[in-house]
Amino acid sequence: MTSCPCGSGRDLGDCCGPIVAGAPAPTPEALMRSRYTAFVLGKLEHIDRTHAPEIRADFNRAEAERTVAEVEWLGLDIRQASEDGDSGSVEFGIRFRRDGQDLVQHEVSSFRRMDGQWLYEGGQVSPKAPPRQVVKIGRNDPCPCGSGKKHKKCCGA
């Protein structure tokens, strides 16, 4: 029995193994886990097979093979997974070592179900939260605490 590289704690044959071999993934998270496992195991045909048709031509097999050869995979951390009908997303972090450096890639990937199969549509690496909106209070504006005084004479003093 071999532990699955995806970090589920399950046996590879009961977790990602069948999906990497061609069985359909039941959820976007299961597909994400299997894609990580495929990179760890060097099974790049699974990566190519699970791309959505519109991005399949963008897959650079030579670059993926170079990544598999140069990277030591350290773990997958699923932070959030959601599914809404035939679309889904998975936020995750991948820990790996490359050129002696420990690195983390944070990504939010999107998936869609086509003909009963979940497919990878794309991802946003290092997603940023929307900027925080702050309302600037002028010196002569009323204080937001509700005292009725001007801000400069109340909380702004």
Side-chain angles (χ1 to χ4, degrees):
M1 288 178 52
T2 304
S3 183
C4 191
C6 79
S8 68
R10 296 170 41 203
D11 180 62
L12 176 62
D14 295 330
C15 190
C16 294
I19 300 170
V20 171
T27 65
E29 180 179 347
L31 181 58
M32 181 62 241
R33 287 182 179 280
S34 73
R35 287 172 60 87
Y36 172 81
T37 298
F39 269 107
V40 172
L41 300 176
K43 305 282 186 178
L44 297 177
E45 58 279 350
H46 175 64
I47 302 298
D48 190 29
R49 180 178 64 244
T50 57
H51 276 111
E54 65 273 9
I55 65 166
R56 205 166 272 151
D58 297 337
F59 179 58
N60 185 333
R61 178 86 181 211
E63 179 62 31
E65 288 171 353
R66 194 169 26 262
T67 298
V68 167
E70 295 174 357
V71 168
E72 178 185 352
W73 303 99
L74 304 175
L76 171 68
D77 173 34
I78 302 291
R79 298 178 183 172
Q80 184 177 353
S82 64
E83 184 179 335
D84 184 17
D86 287 338
S87 64
S89 69
V90 179
E91 180 178 0
F92 62 93
I94 296 176
R95 293 178 288 109
F96 60 96
R97 183 172 296 127
R98 186 179 219 159
D99 299 327
Q101 274 190 301
D102 287 353
L103 303 165
V104 175
Q105 177 176 319
H106 175 215
E107 184 173 329
V108 176
S109 291
S110 57
F111 299 88
R112 83 164 179 267
R113 188 172 20 214
M114 246 178 78
D115 300 326
Q117 299 254 343
W118 284 104
L119 300 172
Y120 171 78
E121 288 186 306
Q124 182 182 8
V125 177
S126 300
K128 304 276 188 250
R132 194 174 76 183
Q133 298 293 323
V134 179
V135 177
K136 183 154 172 87
I137 302 168
R139 292 175 29 94
N140 291 317
D141 290 340
C143 192
C145 75
S147 68
K149 297 180 183 177
K150 289 185 178 182
H151 179 66
K152 70 181 177 186
K153 294 286 188 177
C154 189
C155 296

